[in-house]
Amino acid sequence: MTRLFTSSFSHIILFIGISIMVVPVWMIFASSTHTSSFIYSHGLQFFIGDSFHENYLRVLLYQGGFFKEITALKMFFNSFIMATGVALLSVFTSLMAAYALVYYRTKYATFLFWLIFVTILVPLELRIFPTYSVMAKLNLVNSYFGLIVPISASAIATLFFRQFYRTVPDELLESAKLDGANTWRFFIDFLVPLSKTMIIAMFIFMFVFGYNQYLWPLLVTSSEQYWTVVMGLKMMSGSIVHRFAFVMMSMVPPVLIIIILQKHFIKGVFQDK
Amino acid sequence: MSFLDLKNITKIYPNGTKAVHETSLSIDEGEFMVFVGPSGCGKSTLLRMVAGLEEITEGEITLDGNLINEVDPSERDIAMVFQNYALYPHMNVYNNLAYGLKNRGIDKQAIEQKVNDAAKLLQISDYLQRKPSMLSGGQRQRVAMGRAIVRNPKIFLFDEPLSNLDAKLRIQMRLEIKKLQQKVGVTSIFVTHDQTEAMTLADKLAVINNGVIEQLSTPIEIYNNPKSLFVAGFIGSPQMNFMEGELKNKTLSAEGFEIKNVKSDYNGEVTLGIRPEHLSQSDNGLINLTVDLVEQLGSDNLVYGQLKDKKDFCYRCPGNLTIKKGSKLSLNIDNDNYFIFDKSSGKRVN
């Protein structure tokens, strides 16, 4: 009897928590499927209306911005390029940096590592003007390259990979050496497959991080051609249902990435060996 | 020139520790060499220098006529079995065995042939598709050996490969390693701190202490004729009994007894060593033992007791003798089977 009570009690708590998180999202979605005049007169809706196709298609293809040069579709494309670029590049650089820090007899390796680590304390927002100035001088303003590169060095990911490499037993390296593997082969054949789950976890983190960027893309792009989804959230004008539809769609890419990779994600973050 | 030659090898670690001290030794082709010694004596360091995993501070190592001091481990054509096996956790058994061959650019069919042959030899054919985490200790051990065999290297190196196994499996694997080595005929070096393993496996045994080879010979010669106090104490189980004494004009006087006509011209303080198995009971023997404890092993009894001066002493007798706790035994040394060592230097003097 007590067990039944405690288990139903915890379920009720869970249910309340989930409701608090899901209901607003659901209401935005439901409302985005009505016509705007209906929303203005009846308020937010809980049930789905019949303007789904009309609203979402219009938002995707509407020429927005001041110069009417950008569509939501293009923003999704830009965001996707940027998020993927940031994720790939930061995972790649962190893997390599951690490899060099752990496996090469670099002088002051620990000091160098902490130097990298300290950059966590200096976020992009703090160094945004010098960074912009560098990008401007390199003529990389208004380019995907300029969007991606300055935020693609991740101290956190380097920390994760470094800590993981340090748990890999030395005998594995020695054994691989005797089996004829050079340092590069050891990296490719051993460390990369062994850290697969962690690579995927870091990829998701960095993808979402790149996707959520607002200030940097705002600064480094003056052409509407390079607007990203998060910028669009602020910039898009239009009726309330179209904004709702845009908000709903903006959630899709990160959610999709997590759904697809979640199995590895959980394994990666909570890996115990 | 022999197959593997170590000439005046010295290893000093960056922190100043001297692990190996001017060690020279040579191993013939097909020979099974065992390095034995207590932990930290430098035996593993010596092995790792042969493998190329440690830099050599001084000295030369030649393998098959070539100086290999500066040769990268991957180019030395040496295979090593590690204490914790160091199997590749993300590869299945087949790929564990095949990896070294792939790196040598051998074609796929030949690899398959070699891996299957090695697997058959080691009876691991059924596990080829499994990951190491799904294997038992003994199976992992076999895979580690397979990885060494499959490459047909110039030398096998074993770094205490049996110490992670349980007692029964250890004895079984010990036999298999010996059989395998005889079958494949590859020159091998085996490092262990277990003197039984060392005795049973070795064609030649190097007893190492504090970075120096104390004695290098066949196991039985080392057992019968230990050159120093350390070797005498280390080889043999249960350990040799030691007692203090003085040697003067070919007469040894120890606590409570004398031995005359000792074959030595040494005069001075000495340590007398007698193996527990070289004693037998007699009516008026040299040594009087008060029994504290009897370990019955079945075939043998190990009798532990004290001498007059309260010193511990062990006597091994056949298992069919009944000896009671508290009884007094009178023991004689069989056939002059005793060893006398200089007390200060530990060198053998008889």
Side-chain angles (χ1 to χ4, degrees):
Chain A
M1 201 57 208
T2 19
R3 260 190 68 191
L4 188 68
F5 176 73
T6 43
S7 99
S8 28
F9 184 69
S10 52
H11 276 83
I12 288 167
I13 301 247
L14 272 175
F15 188 75
I16 293 171
I18 291 170
S19 305
I20 288 171
M21 288 188 278
V22 171
V23 168
V25 178
W26 172 254
M27 285 186 76
I28 291 174
F29 174 67
S31 302
S32 72
T33 58
H34 291 271
T35 61
S36 55
S37 55
F38 185 77
I39 297 296
Y40 279 125
S41 52
H42 293 83
L44 290 177
Q45 294 300 305
F46 198 80
F47 297 103
I48 292 177
D50 45 17
S51 306
F52 176 82
H53 281 286
E54 189 193 325
N55 289 346
Y56 278 77
L57 272 179
R58 178 168 180 287
V59 168
L60 271 179
L61 304 173
Y62 177 73
Q63 303 275 324
F66 304 114
F67 303 104
K68 309 286 175 202
E69 281 177 348
I70 181 91
T71 62
L73 208 57
K74 181 78 200 274
M75 287 187 215
F76 277 109
F77 178 75
N78 289 344
S79 278
F80 184 76
I81 295 284
M82 182 178 173
T84 314
V86 168
L88 284 177
L89 200 61
S90 57
V91 165
F92 181 73
T93 50
S94 316
L95 265 175
M96 301 292 265
Y99 183 51
L101 285 172
V102 176
Y103 285 98
Y104 283 83
R105 277 186 216 155
T106 322
K107 256 192 179 176
Y108 316 118
T110 316
F111 174 74
L112 287 174
F113 168 70
W114 287 111
L115 205 61
I116 294 173
F117 194 76
V118 159
T119 61
I120 291 176
L121 306 177
V122 192
L124 181 74
E125 287 73 11
L126 269 176
R127 53 184 167 86
I128 201 153
F129 287 110
T131 309
Y132 180 81
S133 149
V134 170
M135 286 292 126
K137 278 181 186 147
L138 291 174
N139 217 2
L140 290 171
V141 175
N142 280 328
S143 70
Y144 289 122
F145 201 78
L147 275 172
I148 293 167
V149 171
I151 53 171
S152 292
S154 166
I156 299 259
T158 310
L159 167 80
F160 267 85
F161 286 125
R162 173 184 182 257
Q163 296 315 100
F164 172 69
Y165 289 167
R166 285 161 70 102
T167 65
V168 173
D170 287 343
E171 283 90 347
L172 209 58
L173 172 67
E174 291 171 349
S175 183
K177 266 190 196 167
L178 289 171
D179 257 348
N182 55 27
T183 41
W184 179 244
R185 281 247 75 91
F186 179 69
F187 181 66
I188 296 293
D189 290 345
F190 289 83
L191 291 180
V192 171
L194 284 174
S195 44
K196 196 177 89 190
T197 51
M198 193 165 276
I199 289 173
I200 290 169
M202 284 302 132
F203 182 88
I204 296 173
F205 274 131
M206 298 316 293
F207 185 92
V208 175
F209 172 78
Y211 190 83
N212 285 344
Q213 285 301 311
Y214 175 64
L215 191 58
W216 177 246
L218 189 68
L219 205 70
V220 85
T221 60
S222 52
S223 156
E224 288 175 4
Q225 285 297 326
Y226 291 99
W227 277 16
T228 63
V229 173
V230 179
M231 288 164 78
L233 282 176
K234 178 80 169 64
M235 307 282 193
M236 277 302 239
S237 52
S239 67
I240 186 118
V241 284
H242 296 142
R243 290 191 194 185
F244 278 171
F246 188 74
V247 166
M248 286 314 297
M249 286 192 289
S250 73
M251 292 196 313
V252 172
V255 168
L256 262 185
I257 286 281
I258 288 178
I259 288 175
I260 295 169
L261 298 175
Q262 65 147 343
K263 201 172 75 190
H264 303 286
F265 175 73
I266 291 166
K267 248 186 12 207
V269 177
F270 299 106
Q271 209 168 33
D272 51 7
K273 55 175 175 176
Chain B
M1 182 176 275
S2 20
F3 191 64
L4 177 74
D5 257 317
L6 278 68
K7 224 182 276 169
N8 299 323
I9 297 295
T10 299
K11 173 72 187 180
I12 302 169
Y13 281 107
N15 65 9
T17 319
K18 209 168 197 180
V20 176
H21 187 89
E22 297 217 350
T23 295
S24 298
L25 112 145
S26 56
I27 301 173
D28 290 330
E29 191 157 9
E31 200 166 43
F32 200 122
M33 166 71 81
V34 174
F35 294 166
V36 67
S39 345
C41 72
K43 56 190 190 302
S44 278
T45 309
L46 201 57
L47 188 81
R48 290 167 59 83
M49 284 195 283
V50 174
L53 300 173
E54 297 279 355
E55 274 180 38
I56 301 157
T57 314
E58 265 171 57
E60 288 181 347
I61 298 182
T62 47
L63 174 62
D64 205 6
N66 305 312
L67 185 70
I68 55 166
N69 279 38
E70 301 298 325
V71 178
D72 195 75
S74 58
E75 319 261 298
R76 290 192 184 192
D77 199 9
I78 281 173
M80 186 156 167
V81 179
F82 291 84
Q83 182 171 2
N84 59 8
Y85 318 134
L87 299 180
Y88 309 142
H90 57 299
M91 298 183 192
N92 63 20
V93 172
Y94 181 91
N95 285 324
N96 261 283
L97 265 62
Y99 185 70
L101 299 173
K102 281 182 192 160
N103 280 337
R104 282 184 166 62
I106 296 169
D107 75 86
K108 231 175 172 183
Q109 273 191 326
I111 291 178
E112 205 177 322
Q113 181 70 37
K114 282 176 186 229
V115 170
N116 285 333
D117 287 351
K120 207 183 268 174
L121 189 67
L122 289 159
Q123 297 163 354
I124 51 172
S125 303
D126 294 344
Y127 322 123
L128 282 178
Q129 297 309 320
R130 288 200 201 166
K131 292 263 175 77
S133 57
M134 295 162 72
L135 301 176
S136 69
Q139 289 164 347
R140 285 180 204 187
Q141 176 72 60
R142 281 165 206 265
V143 175
M145 305 248 305
R147 206 169 56 182
I149 288 173
V150 81
R151 276 185 21 218
N152 197 17
K154 285 183 181 154
I155 296 197
F156 280 171
L157 305 178
F158 298 90
D159 191 4
E160 309 207 17
L162 302 179
S163 48
N164 284 358
L165 299 177
D166 64 65
K168 199 175 163 193
L169 201 54
R170 198 180 307 168
I171 294 170
Q172 190 192 334
M173 287 309 293
R174 191 172 80 199
L175 272 170
E176 287 190 22
I177 289 180
K178 183 75 180 170
K179 272 190 206 161
L180 197 72
Q181 196 269 342
Q182 285 175 351
K183 204 182 219 169
V184 185
V186 175
T187 315
S188 306
I189 306 177
F190 189 104
V191 162
T192 179
H193 59 260
D194 182 313
Q195 61 94 22
T196 322
E197 263 173 36
M199 292 289 287
T200 49
L201 283 169
D203 292 330
K204 232 186 215 173
L205 190 57
V207 185
I208 301 176
N209 187 30
N210 288 329
V212 179
I213 297 183
E214 294 250 347
Q215 194 169 354
L216 175 69
S217 191
T218 60
I220 199 68
E221 171 66 15
I222 288 180
Y223 174 84
N224 285 335
N225 217 350
K227 288 235 171 75
S228 71
L229 194 63
F230 174 80
V231 176
F234 198 80
I235 299 295
S237 170
Q239 209 196 1
M240 188 185 278
N241 297 299
F242 292 115
M243 52 192 84
E244 310 293 299
E246 201 179 354
L247 187 61
K248 216 173 186 181
N249 301 327
K250 296 187 186 280
T251 302
L252 179 95
S253 33
E255 183 69 31
F257 65 88
E258 274 191 350
I259 303 175
K260 286 191 174 128
N261 296 323
V262 173
K263 287 182 193 131
S264 171
D265 295 326
Y266 184 85
N267 288 311
E269 301 234 314
V270 291
T271 304
L272 172 68
I274 308 161
R275 291 201 187 278
E277 52 270 38
H278 292 158
L279 293 158
S280 54
Q281 291 186 59
S282 73
D283 289 340
N284 38 25
L286 291 172
I287 301 161
N288 293 304
L289 183 71
T290 314
V291 179
D292 282 339
L293 182 80
V294 181
E295 283 184 349
Q296 292 183 302
L297 303 180
S299 58
D300 292 319
N301 286 336
L302 298 181
V303 181
Y304 294 93
Q306 287 181 340
L307 301 180
K308 267 185 197 160
D309 57 353
K310 303 280 175 202
K311 222 169 148 15
D312 290 328
F313 198 86
C314 176
Y315 157 53
R316 182 180 207 147
C317 66
N320 52 14
L321 291 181
T322 326
I323 292 168
K324 279 191 184 136
K325 192 185 155 190
S327 60
K328 288 191 195 308
L329 301 181
S330 169
L331 303 171
N332 251 339
I333 305 167
D334 300 336
N335 309 325
D336 288 345
N337 251 326
Y338 55 84
F339 309 96
I340 302 171
F341 304 94
D342 178 345
K343 195 182 166 191
S344 50
S345 71
K347 290 256 170 5
R348 174 95 175 269
V349 292
N350 73 326

